[in-house]
Structure formats: structure tokens, C-alpha cells
Amino acid sequence: MWRLGPPKEYGIGTTAMKVVPVEGGGVMHVKLENSNMTGSIKDRTAYFLLWGLMRSGRLRPGETVVESTSGNLGTSLARFGRILGFEVLCVVDDSVPAAKIDNLRQAGARVEVVSQGDFPDARSARIARVGVLGQLPGHVWPNQYDNPMGVLAHSATTAPEIWRELRRAPDVVVVPVGTGGTVCGVGRYAQVRHSGTRIIAVEPLGSTIFGGEAKPYLGVGAGLREPSSLVRRFGGVIDSFAKIPDSAAIASAVHWGECGLKLGITAGGAVSVAAQLVSRSSGLTVVALAPDDSGSYAEHLSGGGQPWPIEAVDIKDADAWRKMFCLPGRFNCARAKVDGYA
């Protein structure tokens, strides 16, 4: 039958949140998304993107879903394609780890690799290519960069899980940011709950979502050249941001891996910011979102990154950035119901 069951039918959601001691006293809470269907938080995003496409009639059996991906979203879309009966074509760039490209193909996706060419960065080249492919007959582009279902995925599932597990509102949630669906969804939930929770977005140094100088960085999920359409629409919920070099995120992932916490590179960046906050104020309840684990990053993590401990990360207030880029979102995530989620 051409239908989606509830997320739990596919092993999506209700992921673990681990309490992790921080040097100097205090603990942080790490939301581990690697137990989702294909091992990442992007399973939540894929589910809601497809739910929206199927509900609107834009996606029909046998058609082809095309998407730009750093690996995780494409792998999830491909798994759903096998379950529901549609094709998936993923556009990646040559900075995406080989293990992630292998995962895409094993999940059943066709993969097209693009290079930067005349575009300002490789991800821009990817997005331009899927824009062309999405116009072909029988091809559908969910467009994770501009689809509010990506926000709903996390206001309807990820954030409520955090609040339920803590049994209270966290003081801070630290979220890696790329397309912005996760950070905007969690932030929107915090906003409508009037919880006072501070939302901190973390991007790689070289990404320019929050301004700064554009430089090369690893294509492992987080980061973008300027804010996505999602962030421009819903990013007013972001209170602060931090930029972290790839080498520091890798060093963090390696360090916490030695402590038994298996983190991917973007998770390493978020956890390093969370640990820094707790070390400065042990009474804070701080949650870091870990989008995936270390499984697909062996080629990068084997180098170790910077020596540990890494230098303190500069966490900046987002007020000036919000005024420059964002208009208040009118999309009420808290009241949108999807298969029993609110």
C-alpha cells in the first residue's frame, strides 16, 4: 500500500539521551540519533519530507526522488524508496566521505558526484544540479533547504523527546546546523512552550550561515554558504551561534570516542560547545544533539584533529544576525499534527 505508517514503524525516534560527566564538574546530556533506522537524525527529516510529498500527491509510486546530500539524508530516502517503491537519485560532491557514498549505494540510491566547478562552493554545485534534475519528468525534488516539513520533523518528534526525557525544559540545546531544519524545529518547540531555553547553532568554520569568511570545510552534514531558505524563514528562534574548525570537531569526536561516546564530526562540534558551557557553569542543563556516530568517518577521525583539549569556542549572540537575515516564522509547529505527533 502506498502509505507511510507512523515513524516508530520504521524504527525512527525515541532515541537515547546519555548523561555524560564533564571535566571540572557537572554533566551534559547528549541526544544520540544513531539508533534511528539508518543511523542518523536525517531519518526523521526523510520521513516528514516524504509524508508531505505523498500527502500532497507530488510523489507517486515508481517516480524518482532527487536530493542533494552529504550522505545521511540520501541513505534514509533510499531505504524508504525500497520500502515504498520509488527510485532515489542522490547528488553528492567530491568532499563527501567515501564511506557515505558507499552507504548510499548499498541503500539502493543512484549517486551522481559533482565538483565545485564555477560555483562558489561544492554544495552550491550540488543544489544547482538537483534543481535541474527535479524538473525532469517523473522526478521530484523534496528540497530539504526550503521545505518546512524539515522543521516539523524536529518540532514534532526530536524536541518533545528531549523535554519528556528531562522532565523539564533544558537551559540550553546545542545543535549542528546545515539546512537548519533541526535547529529551527527544536527552537520553535522551545518558543511555543515559553520555556526560556537558549538555542545555540554550531556550524563549521568556513561555512557562512552566520556570516564570516567563506573557506573550504568538510562536507559531512553541517554548514552552508549563507543561510538556507528554511533558516531565513524560521531562524529567529536561534539565540547564539558558534563556529568550530573541522580539526577541533574531529579532536572532540576522537576524545569523546575514547570515553565511550561514538560521535560523528558534526556531533563532535556540538558536544565540544556543550561541554564548554557545562564546565563554566555546572548547574546548567545542557543538551547536545549528535546527528550520527563515528561509523562513516574513519578516514577523517584516524588523524585525530587538534590536540586535546581544544581551544575554547567563541559563542556569539545572534541578535544582530537575526536582524540582518530573519523574519519571524508564522509556521506553528506546535499545533501541526502528523500521524499523532503534535
Side-chain angles (χ1 to χ4, degrees):
M1 179 182 290
W2 183 245
R3 62 171 290 276
L4 272 173
K8 63 182 180 181
E9 185 176 313
Y10 308 100
I12 298 174
T14 320
T15 53
M17 190 149 66
K18 188 169 183 177
V19 179
V20 182
V22 174
E23 186 176 353
V27 297
M28 61 181 168
H29 303 259
V30 183
K31 181 74 165 161
L32 298 168
E33 290 293 299
N34 62 318
S35 63
N36 282 308
M37 177 178 68
T38 66
S40 87
I41 199 169
K42 286 294 189 177
D43 287 328
R44 300 179 190 262
T45 305
Y47 176 92
F48 278 82
L49 292 177
L50 294 171
W51 186 88
L53 290 174
M54 293 168 68
R55 186 186 187 197
S56 67
R58 286 184 58 206
L59 177 63
R60 293 176 290 272
E63 292 187 323
T64 299
V65 170
V66 299
E67 188 56 279
S68 161
T69 181
S70 298
N72 288 341
L73 179 61
T75 298
S76 186
L77 289 171
R79 181 72 63 85
F80 275 117
R82 281 183 168 173
I83 295 169
L84 296 171
F86 59 85
E87 300 295 318
V88 174
L89 172 58
C90 293
V91 179
V92 303
D93 63 75
D94 46 19
S95 73
V96 173
K100 284 199 167 189
I101 295 176
D102 290 342
N103 289 343
L104 286 167
R105 292 185 170 126
Q106 289 171 14
R110 289 182 288 133
V111 179
E112 182 175 323
V113 183
V114 300
S115 57
Q116 178 175 337
D118 294 329
F119 290 92
D121 63 7
R123 198 163 304 199
S124 298
R126 280 173 16 198
I127 294 170
R129 179 58 178 158
V130 294
V132 172
L133 293 171
Q135 299 299 314
L136 297 176
H139 289 62
V140 180
W141 179 24
N143 192 356
Q144 61 169 318
Y145 308 96
D146 188 40
N147 193 325
M149 289 293 107
V151 177
L152 180 59
H154 303 288
S155 67
T157 69
T158 313
E161 288 177 23
I162 293 170
W163 265 247
R164 282 197 301 268
E165 184 147 353
L166 290 175
R167 299 184 181 180
R168 63 187 185 278
D171 295 309
V172 182
V173 183
V174 184
V175 188
V177 60
T179 60
T182 306
V183 71
C184 292
V186 173
R188 187 62 173 159
Y189 183 84
Q191 184 183 67
V192 299
R193 290 290 296 264
H194 304 289
S195 66
T197 300
R198 181 182 173 197
I199 305 298
I200 301 179
V202 180
E203 70 173 330
L205 183 65
S207 167
T208 56
I209 297 170
F210 299 102
E213 183 182 355
K215 297 178 181 179
Y217 58 92
L218 293 174
V220 293
L224 206 62
R225 186 177 180 86
E226 300 187 345
S228 70
S229 295
L230 277 187
V231 172
R232 289 175 186 268
R233 291 161 70 188
F234 307 119
V237 297
I238 298 170
D239 298 295
S240 307
F241 65 89
K243 292 174 175 284
I244 186 163
D246 288 331
S247 58
I250 289 170
S252 174
V254 170
H255 169 76
W256 292 108
E258 292 169 350
C259 299
L261 195 62
K262 304 300 183 184
L263 302 175
I265 295 172
T266 60
V271 168
S272 69
V273 172
Q276 175 178 308
L277 289 168
V278 172
S279 68
R280 292 176 177 176
S281 182
S282 61
L284 286 177
T285 301
V286 180
V287 176
L289 269 176
D292 59 6
D293 63 19
S294 56
S296 297
Y297 306 105
E299 62 185 283
H300 296 299
L301 297 180
S302 60
Q306 296 180 8
W308 186 265
I310 61 174
E311 294 182 5
V313 178
D314 187 14
I315 302 171
K316 297 182 178 180
D317 184 87
D319 184 59
W321 170 84
R322 286 195 304 268
K323 291 176 180 177
M324 183 181 300
F325 283 109
C326 296
L327 295 174
R330 297 178 59 87
F331 181 69
N332 192 337
C333 299
R335 294 182 182 175
K337 292 180 179 287
V338 180
D339 282 0
Y341 282 84

